[in-house]
Amino acid sequence: MDANASMLRLERLVKRYPTGDLALKGVDLEVPRGQVMALIGPSGAGKSTLIRCVNRLVEPTSGRIYLGGEELTRLGMSGLRRARRRMGMIFQEYALVERLTVMENVLSGRLGYVGFWRSFLRKFPQSDIDEAFRLLERVGLDQMVDKRADALSGGQRQRVGICRALIQNPQLLLVDEPTASLDPKTSRQIMRLICELCAERDLAAVINIHDVMLAQMFAQRIVGLRLGEVVYDGPADGLTAEVLTDIYGEEDWSATIQKDEGAAAEEDAGEPAAAETLRPDERMAGLT
Amino acid sequence: MPTQAKGGTRVWQRRERGRQLAIWAGWFFGTFIFLYCFKLISDKTIWFFVTDAGRQAADLGVRMVPPNWSYINELWEPLWDTINIATIGTLLAIVIAVPVAFLAARNTTPSVAVVRPIALLIIVASRSINALIWALLLVAIVGPGVFAGILAIALRSIGFVAKLLYEAIEEIDASQVEAVTATGAGRGQTLTYGIVPQILPAFAGITVFRWDINIRESTVVGLVGAGGIGLELNSQIMELSWTSVSVILLAIIATVVVSEWVSAKVRHAII
């Protein structure tokens, strides 16, 4: 597979839930290696369904999905498990195993590579543990290794989630609303971290995000989804009022678009510095 | 509709008139049934014995004191048996209840149509039969003694532990399981990393709670011959040696208090 080939390709992807809801209506999409793509759209547009179809946490109804050259939609259970190792996933509510420690949560990213008994007895290979320490240091959590996940703040938890995804050594990141539960400052830090790490590792990423400004700020490419169909696919500065109306419906978009122009300069300004250390029970306060 | 228009003003009442009348009728009917039943029971009660109850209880109380304290030395062994019946019975129940719970929980069962109903049937069967009745049956089957008591306690506890545990399994946060699955983990790994940590506090709480209940139940199963202190209690009542009976009752109360204290401590430590 050459370097310019697409990392992820969706062909006529359709998902119909048993209730009859048609969540995806034949989506075609291609993400090249190393590209950070933001998927925006209103609630119920099918963003979460789309990325869950890629690693088949949700089974697609029809259509094909290719990761690298491999067709994911044809894989059996063991083939799917091997393919899932190549896709890291980051979740909206962090989805850490709350009662396990930070280290155990990060190492759980290696479960696809380690046998049952080794993982059960927590006897992970030293190379995995080295990598876990390296990643935790990279995201600034090296002091938190033995803390339980439920003792961390929202931003810290999401960093652990990022480490768990990256220790899989993936080629693709699937990111589902990474900032929806975070305050504005932490949201930006997390998005910046994800984008930096993708650049460092030449990772492709599909990021579901409902914050249009954040998407414009960090993503190289934006795809707009409405009612299970792609209605926009282009660069961040192509998001005009007409395009946003197309994706979300009629609304006054002037503020969103204007703010984007000054966003790079004013980002991080104005938010309280203490936001990063918010306790878990307060973390909804910063909901954007 | 509680809101009605009455000459321009809108009147709000909690209930409609018909519904309110139905509720009054319900109260009237309930009171009638209660009085009628009371009359039926009263007719079949020999009130002389009831009015006599205070004197009889006082009489029995007098015969129970002073407790025959030296008798306590004969109680250590049956008391130890009782604690063993409760503890081993609880452990045996857990060994069977845990797999049953995973088969019964909607989100972990291999088959909702076939396996789940079977698991639920096991739970209902175990729960619907009291430990004392299990003991009666088992004394007949395996003979009197501690072993019958252990089995009786275990059989009764399976349903209790499995039911509470499968409810805990059904209430777990699915996103944590999803996250573990997304790493490419196998079924066993998803279970041990995604589900087990989430149900561990519930599991510990249920286990200690059931052990605490079983201490009390195992004092009773002895009455029908299934070993432990109940056996002793039965024989002392038969011999009308009330001073010994009072020692046994005090010993049971002390044991139960200690077991409650232990279970409260353990639950607090784990959760």
Side-chain angles (χ1 to χ4, degrees):
Chain A
M1 174 181 72
D2 70 296
N4 295 322
S6 66
M7 195 67 249
L8 175 70
R9 194 164 85 244
L10 311 182
E11 285 178 2
R12 310 289 318 142
L13 184 65
V14 173
K15 174 60 190 177
R16 183 187 289 277
Y17 283 104
T19 51
D21 297 330
L22 195 57
L24 296 172
K25 300 173 184 167
V27 174
D28 289 297
L29 199 62
E30 217 173 313
V31 185
R33 171 182 292 271
Q35 186 183 69
V36 174
M37 188 202 92
L39 195 59
I40 63 170
S43 308
K47 306 193 295 289
S48 274
T49 303
L50 190 146
I51 67 165
R52 278 171 168 73
C53 277
V54 173
N55 60 6
R56 283 172 58 190
L57 288 175
V58 170
E59 280 299 331
T61 309
S62 70
R64 279 196 275 264
I65 303 168
Y66 295 90
L67 177 69
E70 192 179 23
E71 188 183 336
L72 300 177
T73 29
R74 280 174 48 178
L75 293 174
M77 222 31 232
S78 66
L80 176 61
R81 282 213 297 274
R82 272 194 300 279
R84 277 175 177 163
R85 305 191 302 202
R86 294 155 59 203
M87 298 178 276
M89 191 159 178
I90 297 169
F91 293 82
Q92 173 174 356
E93 297 276 0
Y94 331 120
L96 301 181
V97 183
E98 298 282 310
R99 293 181 54 83
L100 295 184
T101 63
V102 166
M103 188 48 125
E104 284 173 307
N105 268 292
V106 175
L107 286 174
S108 71
R110 297 300 293 177
L111 285 177
Y113 296 88
V114 177
F116 174 79
W117 286 109
R118 289 196 81 164
S119 66
F120 184 76
L121 300 168
R122 310 294 197 260
K123 297 277 182 210
F124 285 86
Q126 186 58 41
S127 57
D128 290 355
I129 295 168
D130 290 341
E131 177 66 4
F133 276 118
R134 221 174 3 253
L135 282 166
L136 285 170
E137 208 166 320
R138 172 67 183 79
V139 302
L141 285 179
D142 41 338
Q143 302 302 313
M144 302 287 185
V145 176
D146 294 321
K147 283 246 170 69
R148 239 168 63 169
D150 53 11
L152 303 184
S153 72
Q156 291 170 333
R157 285 174 195 221
Q158 195 55 289
R159 286 162 207 265
V160 176
I162 292 169
C163 290
R164 175 176 63 188
L166 288 178
I167 203 170
Q168 287 178 236
N169 198 17
Q171 295 160 309
L172 172 70
L173 278 186
L174 303 169
V175 192
D176 191 16
E177 301 282 4
T179 62
S181 316
L182 300 172
D183 63 79
K185 180 187 164 81
T186 314
S187 293
R188 283 158 205 232
Q189 290 171 334
I190 290 291
M191 281 300 287
R192 188 176 303 113
L193 184 62
I194 291 173
C195 294
E196 280 173 13
L197 289 163
C198 284
E200 282 169 23
R201 295 163 172 248
D202 201 21
L203 272 175
V206 178
I207 306 180
N208 282 354
I209 189 156
H210 64 216
D211 187 325
V212 177
M213 281 160 58
L214 273 180
Q216 287 172 299
M217 208 181 289
F218 291 103
Q220 299 148 12
R221 174 184 168 198
I222 291 189
V223 169
L225 209 58
R226 192 191 61 192
L227 297 172
E229 283 172 309
V230 174
V231 291
Y232 175 80
D233 185 351
D237 50 21
L239 282 181
T240 58
E242 292 77 56
V243 172
L244 286 171
T245 300
D246 220 15
I247 300 172
Y248 289 97
E250 201 68 56
E251 182 51 76
D252 178 12
W253 297 107
S254 54
T256 310
I257 294 163
Q258 271 174 10
K259 272 193 186 161
D260 172 52
E261 286 159 5
E266 73 172 46
E267 80 183 54
D268 287 354
E271 273 94 30
E276 179 64 359
T277 55
L278 278 177
R279 299 309 309 160
D281 48 330
E282 294 166 352
R283 68 182 193 262
M284 298 304 286
L287 199 74
T288 44
Chain B
M1 210 188 325
T3 312
Q4 291 169 323
K6 250 184 208 168
T9 50
R10 283 185 297 171
V11 178
W12 182 86
Q13 285 165 317
R14 187 175 172 200
R15 300 189 180 94
E16 282 172 72
R17 185 186 300 272
R19 198 174 161 71
Q20 188 64 52
L21 285 174
I23 288 168
W24 282 119
W27 276 104
F28 175 76
F29 192 65
T31 314
F32 175 76
I33 295 257
F34 176 80
L35 291 173
Y36 180 69
C37 291
F38 187 83
K39 183 181 180 320
L40 284 186
I41 295 166
S42 170
D43 287 349
K44 290 180 181 166
T45 307
I46 301 164
W47 284 101
F48 172 73
F49 286 148
V50 178
T51 50
D52 192 33
R55 208 170 56 79
Q56 291 293 338
D59 187 37
L60 194 61
V62 167
R63 273 183 277 166
M64 277 187 170
V65 286
N68 178 12
W69 290 116
S70 62
Y71 177 63
I72 192 108
N73 287 320
E74 287 174 48
L75 284 182
W76 298 123
E77 205 184 318
L79 212 52
W80 178 240
D81 282 348
T82 296
I83 293 168
N84 278 335
I85 290 171
T87 310
I88 299 172
T90 310
L91 291 177
L92 201 61
I94 289 167
V95 170
I96 301 165
V98 169
V100 172
F102 277 99
L103 297 179
R106 206 173 275 281
N107 48 353
T108 53
T109 184
S111 146
V112 176
V114 184
V115 180
R116 186 167 188 266
I118 295 172
L120 290 178
L121 186 70
I122 293 173
I123 291 171
V124 169
S126 158
R127 274 163 55 81
S128 56
I129 300 173
N130 190 285
L132 198 62
I133 298 168
W134 279 121
L136 268 172
L137 296 174
L138 286 160
V139 166
I141 295 168
V142 302
V146 173
F147 184 57
I150 291 172
L151 287 184
I153 292 292
L155 285 174
R156 172 66 181 83
S157 305
I158 289 168
F160 181 94
V161 174
K163 182 179 168 64
L164 292 181
L165 195 60
Y166 99 72
E167 282 170 358
I169 296 171
E170 285 185 347
E171 279 166 22
I172 58 171
D173 174 10
S175 73
Q176 297 180 31
V177 183
E178 205 178 33
V180 175
T181 313
T183 64
R187 267 186 83 91
Q189 290 172 320
T190 309
L191 198 74
T192 51
Y193 272 76
I195 298 174
V196 169
Q198 293 195 58
I199 59 166
L200 219 48
F203 173 73
I206 294 163
T207 303
V208 182
F209 184 34
R210 187 64 220 185
W211 175 76
D212 181 15
I213 295 173
N214 283 346
I215 290 274
R216 274 168 275 159
E217 295 222 324
S218 61
T219 60
V220 178
V221 294
L223 288 174
V224 295
I229 200 160
L231 205 60
E232 207 68 25
L233 181 64
N234 200 23
S235 68
Q236 294 305 319
I237 291 176
M238 290 295 181
E239 290 172 23
L240 302 178
S241 51
W242 298 107
T243 49
S244 300
V245 169
S246 61
V247 174
I248 294 175
L249 292 181
L250 288 172
I252 290 175
I253 290 171
T255 314
V256 170
V257 167
V258 169
S259 80
E260 292 231 8
W261 180 78
V262 169
S263 80
K265 279 282 166 196
V266 171
R267 255 181 291 174
H268 189 74
I270 295 168
I271 304 161

